[in-house]
Amino acid sequence: MPFLGQDWRSPGWRWVKTEDGWKRCEAFSPALEGGNNQLNDISHTVILTGDDEDEEIYSTEDCEFAAKKRKKDHCRNNTDSQCFYREKWIYVHKESTRERHGYCTLGEAFNRLDFSSAIQDIRRFNYVVKLLQLIAKSQLTSLSGAAQKNYFSILDKIVRKVMEDQYNPRLIKDLLQDLSSTLCILIRGVGKSVLVGNINIWICRLETILLWQQQLKNLQMNKQVNNGLTLSDLPLHMLNNILYRFSDGWDIIMLGQVTPTLYMLSEDRQLWKKLCQYHFAEKQFCRHLILSEKGHIDWKLMYFALQKYYPIKEQYGDTLHFCRHCSILFWKDTGHPCTASDPNTCLMPVSPQHFIDLFKF
């Protein structure tokens, strides 16, 4: 007897393999409108049983599922009807239930939160790079095969973006340096028993990282040709306000190398004092006091000395958020299907380190 019922365990989704992993897609095509009419016009279907001589004819109501099957086959043959289902949020669950089986992984989070597109947003770029850097330092050995593929795919797109747009190459150099150092230790030591995957694959990845480092080292910044207003044309108080907006001491030093005026402003003691007060506590100052020749506190040297002992505050244009009510991780501007009466009270910004902690089991 042929089975005509629809499997109650199957949601009827269709999965398509892409370079970023498997994607769930929905089928839609104007051609289906005409196809639906043809399928609805079927008044009966002939289904053969074990004997070729015996035939059983079912009415239209009985062959409803057979018509659905024909619709699915029509969708599979129509390559233009693929529309990827991309929800930029993920439910973070740490235990298996009857409704949800398994656990969330880093590889799944890379895919669902669409980090490949996030690096194209200047507000999220630094956040994603910092996250990859933390993974390179501590979580590289815990990545599954799918997570490894997504990780290096995103890293490849980041390097290409920096090479093309020349945006923040120093940040990527630090990431590649940490990644290459970790890989060298793992491959030379106990890499064969710790790293997931063939050791030769990791050696090829290390060679690719070294090649990227060489390309970034030889990167030449294109000189912008602009006959309009430049940074040097701004008044001193505006230039000073720009410097006070920076939260990274290296950015202040790099900007100070542009012109003699900016160098003078970047050496201001009050600027570095504000920067130290922003990142560190007063108790930390007392433990690492550095005095200049005139007996004053050298706040610039204090900043870099304290940076070696204490973490600095992280500042990003946009971060991931976690909803405590729904246990959903998402980008704030994309939102999520929240069921709370006041969703804003349930939101919590997620730092890169907190993101990694969410997927530790």
Side-chain angles (χ1 to χ4, degrees):
M1 181 68 185
F3 177 73
L4 295 178
Q6 189 176 23
D7 190 353
W8 63 272
R9 296 167 297 180
S10 172
W13 297 327
R14 183 185 173 201
W15 297 84
V16 178
K17 190 173 183 180
T18 66
E19 61 178 2
D20 295 328
W22 287 91
K23 305 287 185 181
R24 193 176 75 190
C25 69
E26 296 175 338
F28 173 80
S29 174
L32 287 178
E33 298 296 332
N36 290 342
N37 297 331
Q38 295 178 1
L39 294 172
N40 293 332
D41 291 340
I42 300 176
S43 59
H44 66 276
T45 298
V46 177
I47 301 179
L48 298 179
T49 60
D51 298 329
D52 294 341
E53 297 178 357
D54 298 333
E55 295 181 355
E56 185 175 358
I57 300 178
Y58 292 88
S59 63
T60 306
E61 296 178 356
D62 295 332
C63 66
E64 177 183 356
F65 295 109
K68 289 183 178 180
K69 180 66 167 59
R70 284 184 171 84
K71 288 182 181 180
K72 285 186 177 181
D73 293 340
H74 180 79
C75 294
R76 289 192 180 97
N77 295 330
N78 188 358
T79 57
D80 296 334
S81 64
Q82 295 181 2
C83 177
F84 293 123
Y85 185 82
R86 310 202 74 161
E87 296 171 339
K88 295 185 179 180
W89 54 266
I90 184 172
Y91 179 82
V92 181
H93 53 287
K94 295 189 176 182
E95 58 182 7
S96 294
T97 63
R98 295 180 63 182
E99 293 78 14
R100 294 182 179 272
H101 177 69
Y103 301 90
C104 296
T105 62
L106 276 175
E108 185 181 0
F110 284 156
N111 190 17
R112 290 293 298 273
L113 295 173
D114 198 11
F115 281 2
S116 296
S117 300
I119 61 175
Q120 304 301 327
D121 190 336
I122 193 172
R123 300 172 303 162
R124 302 174 181 174
F125 183 84
N126 292 358
Y127 183 90
V128 176
V129 172
K130 181 63 177 180
L131 176 60
L132 296 185
Q133 189 174 13
L134 291 176
I135 293 176
K137 290 181 178 180
S138 60
Q139 299 297 315
L140 201 60
T141 57
S142 63
L143 295 181
S144 64
Q148 292 173 20
K149 183 177 180 181
N150 289 339
Y151 181 93
F152 284 95
S153 175
I154 296 171
L155 184 59
D156 178 51
K157 293 177 181 178
I158 289 176
V159 174
R160 290 183 183 180
K161 177 178 176 60
V162 173
M163 296 296 294
E164 294 174 0
D165 301 343
Q166 301 176 349
Y167 175 74
N168 208 344
R170 179 178 59 84
L171 190 64
I172 312 305
K173 290 179 181 179
D174 294 340
L175 166 60
L176 295 179
Q177 180 61 39
D178 292 336
L179 184 57
S180 61
S181 300
T182 304
L183 277 181
C184 286
I185 295 173
L186 293 174
I187 291 175
R188 293 174 182 175
V190 291
K192 295 182 180 180
S193 60
V194 175
L195 291 173
V196 177
N198 191 298
I199 191 65
N200 294 323
I201 296 178
W202 286 101
I203 294 176
C204 292
R205 288 170 176 168
L206 179 58
E207 293 175 352
T208 303
I209 293 171
L210 296 177
L211 178 61
W212 286 339
Q213 287 180 308
Q214 187 62 35
Q215 291 175 349
L216 290 174
K217 184 178 180 180
N218 299 331
L219 179 64
Q220 298 292 332
M221 305 298 290
N222 296 330
K223 186 176 181 180
Q224 300 293 333
V225 179
N226 189 0
N227 296 326
L229 188 66
T230 63
L231 190 64
S232 302
D233 298 327
L234 297 177
L236 289 179
H237 72 277
M238 294 186 67
L239 293 175
N240 200 39
N241 287 336
I242 292 175
L243 287 171
Y244 270 85
R245 300 288 181 178
F246 286 16
S247 61
D248 191 338
W250 283 108
D251 291 337
I252 296 177
I253 292 178
M254 296 298 292
L255 185 59
Q257 296 176 357
V258 176
T259 62
T261 302
L262 287 172
Y263 176 77
M264 177 192 65
L265 295 175
S266 66
E267 294 295 320
D268 183 21
R269 291 182 63 252
Q270 191 66 21
L271 171 65
W272 290 98
K273 180 180 179 180
K274 291 289 186 182
L275 192 63
C276 289
Q277 292 175 344
Y278 173 77
H279 288 289
F280 309 107
E282 186 175 354
K283 293 182 180 179
Q284 297 170 344
F285 297 157
C286 300
R287 298 176 184 175
H288 305 277
L289 281 177
I290 300 178
L291 302 179
S292 63
E293 296 178 355
K294 297 181 180 180
H296 301 296
I297 298 177
D298 194 330
W299 292 105
K300 182 178 179 180
L301 293 180
M302 281 274 294
Y303 170 81
F304 291 104
L306 293 170
Q307 193 178 28
K308 297 178 181 179
Y309 299 99
Y310 309 104
I312 62 175
K313 289 184 179 180
E314 298 178 358
Q315 188 178 35
Y316 305 101
D318 189 16
T319 63
L320 289 171
H321 281 69
F322 181 75
C323 179
R324 292 186 293 268
H325 178 78
C326 306
S327 296
I328 287 179
L329 191 65
F330 63 100
W331 293 106
K332 188 175 182 180
D333 60 347
T334 58
H336 75 289
C338 187
T339 58
S341 57
D342 189 3
N344 293 329
T345 60
C346 306
L347 302 186
M348 177 180 64
V350 178
S351 65
Q353 183 61 54
H354 186 197
F355 175 87
I356 295 176
D357 296 337
L358 286 174
F359 295 93
K360 285 183 178 180
F361 306 110

